[in-house]
Amino acid sequence: MANLDDLIGADNPLYEKRKGVYPKSVDGFFRRFKWAIMAVTLAIYYVTPWIRWDRGPHAPDQAVLVDLANRRFYMFNIEIWPHEFYYVAGLLVMAGIGLFLVTSAVGRAWCGYACPQTVWTDLFQHVDRFVDGDRNAQIRLEKAPWGPEKIFKRLAKWSIYLFIAFWTGGAWIMYFADAPTLTVDFWTGQAAPVAYATVGVLTATTFIFGGFMREQVCVYMCPWPRIQTAMMDEKSLIVTYREWRGEPRGSVKKAETQPGAFGDCIDCNQCVAVCPTGIDIREGPQIGCITCALCIDACDSVMEQIGRPRGLIDYLTLDDVATEKAGGTAHPTLKTLFRPRTLVYFGIWCLIGLAMLFTLGQRTRLDLTVQHDRNPLYVQLSDGSIRNNYTVKVRNMETRQREVELVVKGLPGAVAWTSTGTRETATDRVKVSVAPDTVQKVRLFVVAPTEGSARTDFEIQAVALTGNERGDSDSVRFERPETGQ
């Protein structure tokens, strides 16, 4: 029976062996833009857990905190409780629509500039240049036999990789506990086992993905290159090689001896040398292109040196490619960006954001839920009146103690009291004290005359007497015996 190698042939392996990618350093607008994005994103990631934010004596003072123990999410002045998880869902929807917007406008710009895999890979590639030198030095070192210099440089580089990876994992756990406290606990061995496990996993994945797998994550593991085709159209800006201007390729000397016989591309391969995924953009759009535009910087630099127009490689839409091939002029960039599709995405994104901001501003910091006791449904007292029992939960979402009044509305002649009161002192309203940032459970007894329908719907309202005065209410039912019983 033939094996797989026999079927596909020895000269056509099922998997292509990875070719090393050694990006050359380059300077230009897009490289400097990548530097800025990398600096901002890394600063946000590593520094944010250490920012302090005063919320009062009964709340944590960390600006951004996912407090799993107490089921809270804090972001500066905003505090999200578990029942408000729809805000997190809203943020995820906004992130998705934002990704659609960016992709429809400028292709895989997210992949090229802000994706964590790109940011950390870019950081590790700068480490490569710092330790091994630029592209040519890295290639020579890779081909060199193992010796003292190579061993030293490899150990030095991998140690820096490991240091960065460890602090990447360490920074992540700081978002889930008070950063200074957790740091002390971590280094003194008092942190929870899950903290050490999380740091270990993230250290390993950062070290491997950023240090060794790099472009393979983008090309083979990430689903976004496959999904992006549904988000892009002929009007999306992508990095494009103007082959009608660059072909046929020829060196400067050949072009001088044969004027008009060659295009602007001198086949210097600088666009390939600087590419972090090692592709040749001159072969057209491909899955390995992350739209980082470093090839544009490299090509523009060469064009300036040989006195030819910049833009042989540039951001273009497929529509503009067809237009320029036919001798026309490409559309202005702003007109390309601000078109109906991107404006619709941007409008939806803004509407969701504004809706979330509005609800955040209008939400009460007091929440009420009432549950009727099912056994018994009611109790008939000696004077003939009917008593129903309820379990009331009052959630105080402020960082101060609050006095709350529970008011019975819509049930004529009804009075109420709690387990700390008596029937003699009962009125249509009851005061309770709710501790900061907690849920207070209250047993509420409501008595009403026997006259009335068997089931009467009414409201119990929670009115804040201190703090944010907006309250809450819950509709419940009062049960009486059926007529004739």
Side-chain angles (χ1 to χ4, degrees):
M1 182 176 179
N3 59 33
L4 186 60
D5 289 337
D6 294 331
L7 293 174
I8 64 178
D11 297 330
N12 298 290
L14 187 61
Y15 298 102
E16 182 182 11
K17 183 180 179 181
R18 179 178 182 263
K19 299 175 182 178
V21 178
Y22 309 94
K24 181 180 178 181
S25 64
V26 64
D27 186 36
F29 171 80
F30 294 105
R31 175 63 264 180
R32 290 189 290 271
F33 186 57
K34 277 178 69 68
W35 270 113
I37 296 296
M38 183 175 69
V40 170
T41 52
L42 289 177
I44 290 173
Y45 177 74
Y46 288 116
V47 174
T48 298
W50 297 93
I51 300 175
R52 302 294 96 184
W53 195 265
D54 185 12
R55 299 186 181 90
H58 301 287
D61 65 347
Q62 188 162 306
V64 178
L65 176 65
V66 182
D67 189 355
L68 295 179
N70 296 302
R71 297 182 296 173
R72 306 282 190 279
F73 172 58
Y74 298 94
M75 180 177 286
F76 298 97
N77 271 340
I78 299 173
E79 178 185 353
I80 303 299
W81 284 58
H83 71 287
E84 297 174 316
F85 190 79
Y86 49 83
Y87 287 113
V88 177
L91 287 175
L92 293 176
V93 171
M94 288 185 68
I97 294 175
L99 200 55
F100 298 162
L101 169 62
V102 171
T103 303
S104 64
V106 287
R108 290 176 65 188
W110 160 260
C111 300
Y113 296 97
C115 172
Q117 174 66 19
T118 296
V119 172
W120 266 268
T121 295
D122 201 14
L123 179 61
F124 279 27
Q125 286 172 346
H126 290 305
V127 173
D128 293 345
R129 297 188 188 103
F130 174 75
V131 176
D132 297 339
D134 207 356
R135 172 182 167 84
N136 292 337
Q138 292 177 38
I139 294 175
R140 285 196 302 269
L141 186 64
E142 179 65 28
K143 293 180 179 178
W146 285 94
E149 180 185 4
K150 186 170 182 176
I151 292 173
F152 173 77
K153 287 188 174 181
R154 285 290 183 265
L155 290 177
K157 183 173 67 174
W158 294 342
S159 297
I160 298 174
Y161 285 179
L162 193 61
F163 176 81
I164 295 172
F166 175 76
W167 282 110
T168 300
W172 176 256
I173 64 172
M174 299 302 168
Y175 286 90
F176 298 88
D178 181 66
T181 304
L182 181 56
T183 301
V184 174
D185 291 346
F186 186 90
W187 290 108
T188 56
Q190 301 178 56
V194 68
Y196 297 102
T198 302
V199 172
V201 170
L202 291 178
T203 298
T205 52
T206 305
F207 183 78
I208 294 170
F209 290 171
F212 301 96
M213 297 186 67
R214 296 187 178 178
E215 78 285 348
Q216 293 177 297
V217 174
C218 302
V219 176
Y220 299 112
M221 295 175 62
C222 181
W224 183 240
R226 285 85 181 165
I227 299 173
Q228 67 160 345
T229 54
M231 300 293 104
M232 296 168 61
D233 57 22
E234 294 78 4
K235 294 179 173 58
S236 300
L237 286 168
I238 57 175
V239 176
T240 306
Y241 167 63
R242 287 185 166 97
E243 49 87 12
W244 59 93
R245 175 186 146 187
E247 302 294 325
R249 306 170 196 173
S251 66
V252 175
K253 289 184 178 180
K254 287 182 179 180
E256 290 175 349
T257 58
Q258 303 178 56
F262 297 96
D264 284 345
C265 180
I266 62 173
D267 207 18
C268 64
N269 282 327
Q270 290 301 300
C271 55
V272 181
V274 302
C275 179
T277 60
I279 68 162
D280 189 343
I281 193 62
R282 295 171 297 180
E283 297 176 358
Q286 49 203 290
I287 198 171
C289 179
I290 60 173
T291 321
C292 65
L294 295 182
C295 54
I296 297 178
D297 285 339
C299 187
D300 284 350
S301 176
V302 173
M303 291 297 105
E304 284 184 355
Q305 293 174 26
I306 63 176
R308 295 179 184 177
R310 295 160 59 98
L312 180 59
I313 301 176
D314 205 354
Y315 272 107
L316 284 176
T317 68
L318 294 179
D319 281 352
D320 287 338
V321 169
T323 300
E324 287 197 2
K325 279 186 177 181
T329 304
H331 293 91
T333 302
L334 288 179
K335 185 176 180 180
T336 302
L337 293 175
F338 296 102
R339 54 193 174 90
R341 181 176 180 178
T342 57
L343 292 176
V344 168
Y345 279 140
F346 184 69
I348 295 173
W349 186 85
C350 288
L351 284 175
I352 295 174
L354 290 173
M356 290 178 61
L357 287 175
F358 176 78
T359 55
L360 276 171
Q362 293 299 312
R363 65 178 180 168
T364 65
R365 307 310 293 151
L366 190 68
D367 186 67
L368 177 73
T369 56
V370 182
Q371 185 175 4
H372 192 288
D373 284 5
R374 306 307 301 169
N375 187 22
L377 281 177
Y378 59 86
V379 176
Q380 189 161 18
L381 303 181
S382 58
D383 62 357
S385 58
I386 305 298
R387 189 188 78 195
N388 282 200
N389 304 336
Y390 302 88
T391 300
V392 179
K393 293 182 180 179
V394 184
R395 181 184 289 112
N396 176 18
M397 291 180 280
E398 289 191 357
T399 57
R400 71 179 87 179
Q401 182 164 308
R402 302 175 72 183
E403 300 300 321
V404 178
E405 202 169 55
L406 301 178
V407 183
V408 177
K409 290 284 187 180
L411 188 62
V415 294
W417 70 96
T418 66
S419 55
T420 59
T422 62
R423 169 72 186 274
E424 289 70 24
T425 60
T427 64
D428 64 344
R429 57 194 63 215
V430 177
K431 288 184 180 180
V432 295
S433 182
V434 187
D437 209 31
T438 58
V439 177
Q440 181 73 37
K441 189 175 180 181
V442 178
R443 290 285 291 158
L444 188 69
F445 308 102
V446 179
V447 171
T450 189
E451 296 82 10
S453 61
R455 295 176 178 84
T456 304
D457 292 329
F458 71 104
E459 275 190 354
I460 295 178
Q461 297 179 348
V463 180
L465 303 179
T466 56
N468 187 325
E469 294 183 357
R470 285 199 298 269
D472 196 15
S473 63
D474 198 4
S475 296
V476 290
R477 177 168 291 179
F478 190 85
E479 300 282 354
R480 293 184 177 93
E482 295 283 353
T483 303
Q485 289 187 3

